[in-house]
Amino acid sequence: MSRFCVYLVVFCAMCCRFSVLSYPQGAPVRTESCVNLQPVHTDPLSNQPVQNQKGTTKPYRILVSQQQYQTCTTTQQCGLQPLQVSIQGQGGLFRGFIVQARTPSGGSRSWGQFFPLQTGDSKVIQCQNGLTLTHTANNDKNIVRFAWIPEPGMRDQVQFVATVVQNLRTIYPGVYSAQLRPVGVPTTTTTSVAPMTSALATTRMPPSTTGLPGSAPLKTAGVISLVTSVIAILL
């Protein structure tokens, strides 16, 4: 009976140690995790770092509620239209993850803010390169849902990129969502209207029996000016 107790204590200790070394409560705030999106696990027996084995196929995907986001100038305005995002297994479960919103053009900065939508599945951590979402428990899961809002002044395309941890030794880096384009950014079409209206305004119109056509360019310029003002206010 005493030997059984000893075995039980050792087994429990090993389980606790295994759980701690494999970061069951989410990725740590370290360069490997935050910037490289690589988990750092330690073998509980040898106390040596475990070499990550990258899966060849990706049985996971990131889905977004829409492929665009509304630009904003204040935090309150940014929170009016959050995007719903989910990390899903395609026939496979996973135990951990770390996800950020980055620009497809490159760079390691994580943009925007994350908000977990399921209690006890994920949490937000403050990395040196921006806010990041990671798991809170290493139990098997098939889907994780969260919301995301942009930062004030964002004007670039972004996409979610994640590393999904299947188990202690097998990870799936480079799981990407569709790219999100900003909506509400001024285009060159708006800025090119002014020279055209100026040219129209200076063009002489021939006399007309109604006496009104000559004022059409001025009316057009007035309408365009009004629309431009409304767009500026909305932005």
Side-chain angles (χ1 to χ4, degrees):
M1 187 66 176
S2 59
R3 179 176 298 179
F4 174 77
C5 293
V6 171
Y7 288 157
L8 182 61
V9 170
V10 172
F11 175 77
C12 292
M14 291 300 294
C15 288
C16 293
R17 184 183 181 191
F18 176 84
S19 299
V20 172
L21 296 179
S22 60
Y23 301 108
Q25 296 180 351
V29 182
R30 297 168 58 175
T31 300
E32 293 87 350
S33 300
C34 291
V35 177
N36 302 328
L37 298 180
Q38 294 289 318
V40 182
H41 294 157
T42 304
D43 190 288
L45 299 178
S46 63
N47 200 29
Q48 297 297 318
V50 175
Q51 184 67 30
N52 293 322
Q53 298 178 5
K54 300 179 180 179
T56 55
T57 59
K58 291 182 173 63
Y60 310 104
R61 59 182 179 175
I62 303 177
L63 301 180
V64 293
S65 57
Q66 58 187 32
Q67 295 184 16
Q68 62 186 30
Y69 70 90
Q70 182 66 46
T71 58
C72 49
T73 57
T74 64
T75 303
Q76 183 178 5
Q77 186 183 22
C78 292
L80 295 178
Q81 299 184 28
L83 273 71
Q84 296 188 29
V85 191
S86 64
I87 302 175
Q88 300 183 13
Q90 303 181 85
L93 301 175
F94 59 98
R95 294 193 169 187
F97 69 92
I98 183 171
V99 61
Q100 295 179 344
R102 297 184 176 184
T103 56
S105 58
S108 61
R109 177 175 175 179
S110 181
W111 295 85
Q113 298 185 51
F114 296 86
F115 300 90
L117 295 180
Q118 299 174 207
T119 305
D121 278 346
S122 57
K123 66 178 180 179
V124 179
I125 59 176
Q126 178 65 65
C127 285
Q128 62 267 41
N129 58 325
L131 295 177
T132 305
L133 193 76
T134 186
H135 59 280
T136 55
N138 62 350
N139 60 304
D140 288 331
K141 49 186 73 71
N142 182 55
I143 184 172
V144 171
R145 297 182 177 89
F146 59 92
W148 177 87
I149 63 174
E151 297 178 16
M154 280 185 59
R155 292 294 186 271
D156 295 324
Q157 288 190 341
V158 295
Q159 66 181 156
F160 298 99
V161 55
T163 294
V164 181
V165 179
Q166 189 176 64
N167 52 52
L168 179 65
R169 288 179 168 79
T170 306
I171 67 170
Y172 290 87
V175 180
Y176 293 94
S177 72
Q179 296 183 10
L180 310 178
R181 60 183 179 87
V183 177
V185 179
T187 62
T188 55
T189 304
T190 304
T191 58
S192 62
V193 169
M196 293 179 60
T197 56
S198 298
L200 288 173
T202 56
T203 302
R204 291 185 177 181
M205 298 295 294
S208 174
T209 56
T210 60
L212 294 177
S215 61
L218 295 178
K219 290 184 178 180
T220 303
V223 172
I224 294 176
S225 177
L226 176 61
V227 172
T228 305
S229 300
V230 172
I231 293 176
I233 293 174
L234 293 177
L235 294 178

